[in-house]
Amino acid sequence: MAEGLARVIFGDSVRVQSAGSEPSTGIAPYAVAAMAELGIDISGQRSKAVKDIDPEGVDTVITLCAGEVCPVFLGRAKRFHWPIPDPAAKAPSMSPDERLASFRAARDQIKTRLEVLAALRDVPTGPIPTEFHTSMRVRDLPRSARFYAWLLGIEPREWTHRYVTFISPELRLNFVILVADGKELRQNDTLYHFGIALQDKTSLVSAYRRGSEAGWHVEKPPRTTWMGTPLHELWLKDPDGNLIELYARLTEEELALRPPDAQPVLLA
């Protein structure tokens, strides 16, 4: 199932192979049925052994074992371990419907994890934040993972089919996005907005240009505001419509340039 899903999600941009430490003699009928529900035909695939895969042609390895023996792959590839229970190993007393349901559950977990991985490929260069800490619920986990990988300039520490965690000790950051499971978001489920501080006005304007080039939604272009705490600020919206404030504190020289009417000053 993982190979079939990856071929569809990544298309021709990558070469996908799958193998196991003890490959079976055929494809499980329930796996074929679960994938057919998504319009993906894996009936022509075959089980392969890890020893049959040339490690020189592999740059990423994903292991899905959870409790069973994980295959050993010799090579210098980047590795991910997603412990998803093998639906084929379920108790024989399960009914056909229960067996199919277990394959659907594994299919959906693998699918979302692969979608997040695909969304994190080739993330454009984003701003360099200096401080923030928060968490929120999101409707589209892969797109949000891509947005925040771009925004923070770091890869997630880990992710499942329900959440993605970003951790940066340098920023004292622990940020989690949690999928909303299709339910209507309530005010206490998500922050109205959160902010990240940038080094200076130049960095803020650069973030605006990079965000525009990356296709992110700009709610308010960069400007200097004087009411309350004077700031250079830029407002974005993430893929779920959450407001994101990027800001830089004014220097003493910039504070001295406050206009008499204290009206915002556009920076770009």
Side-chain angles (χ1 to χ4, degrees):
M1 290 195 298
E3 179 180 342
L5 288 165
R7 289 184 184 278
V8 171
I9 292 170
F10 290 95
D12 296 332
S13 63
V14 300
R15 182 166 61 95
V16 179
Q17 304 176 86
S18 64
S21 54
E22 297 179 1
S24 61
T25 56
I27 304 297
Y30 292 107
V32 175
M35 294 294 288
E37 293 176 347
L38 301 184
I40 302 174
D41 181 9
I42 63 171
S43 60
Q45 293 179 193
R46 65 180 182 86
S47 299
K48 301 174 286 295
V50 172
K51 63 182 179 61
D52 296 331
I53 303 295
D54 179 9
E56 296 302 319
V58 176
D59 57 20
T60 302
V61 174
I62 301 171
T63 52
L64 302 177
C65 44
E68 63 272 21
V69 177
C70 278
V72 176
F73 188 83
L74 301 178
R76 299 181 179 180
K78 185 174 184 179
R79 297 168 187 266
F80 296 100
H81 177 55
W82 300 344
I84 297 175
D86 182 3
K90 298 296 182 181
S93 60
M94 294 177 64
S95 69
D97 286 345
E98 290 173 330
R99 282 181 169 272
L100 180 57
S102 69
F103 275 85
R104 286 171 177 155
R107 174 201 67 192
D108 292 343
Q109 290 187 38
I110 296 169
K111 178 176 179 290
T112 301
R113 287 186 185 241
L114 287 171
E115 288 173 336
V116 172
L117 180 61
L120 293 171
R121 297 183 72 230
D122 305 321
V123 175
T125 302
I128 302 176
T130 60
E131 61 183 27
F132 77 92
H133 177 102
T134 190
S135 64
M136 65 175 60
R137 289 182 179 268
V138 299
R139 291 186 178 88
D140 190 329
L141 192 64
R143 278 183 55 78
S144 294
R146 180 175 177 83
F147 175 85
Y148 287 110
W150 169 84
L151 186 71
L152 305 178
I154 60 175
E155 292 186 355
R157 173 67 62 86
E158 63 177 352
W159 67 83
T160 71
H161 63 296
R162 288 183 51 80
Y163 66 83
V164 179
T165 301
F166 296 89
I167 296 178
S168 173
E170 294 81 5
L171 301 176
R172 300 188 300 277
L173 164 70
N174 187 329
F175 173 56
V176 180
I177 52 176
L178 175 66
V179 69
D181 293 337
K183 297 180 181 179
E184 187 65 27
L185 293 178
R186 299 171 299 175
Q187 183 61 36
N188 60 348
D189 283 332
T190 181
L191 299 179
Y192 177 65
H193 82 271
F194 69 89
I196 72 171
L198 302 182
Q199 185 175 3
D200 52 29
K201 178 174 66 176
T202 300
S203 300
L204 190 77
V205 174
S206 176
Y208 163 67
R209 291 171 178 161
R210 291 178 177 180
S212 298
E213 292 172 357
W216 304 127
H217 176 85
V218 176
E219 184 70 8
K220 295 180 181 179
R223 61 181 185 167
T224 302
T225 60
W226 307 95
M227 298 298 183
T229 301
L231 292 171
H232 304 303
E233 64 176 18
L234 162 67
W235 288 87
L236 305 177
K237 275 188 176 180
D238 76 358
D240 282 276
N242 297 303
L243 285 169
I244 311 297
E245 180 189 23
L246 286 72
Y247 63 91
R249 296 179 176 84
L250 276 66
T251 65
E252 293 296 330
E253 293 79 7
E254 290 170 336
L255 286 169
L257 299 177
R258 176 184 175 122
D261 59 4
Q263 290 300 303
V265 177
L266 291 176
L267 301 176

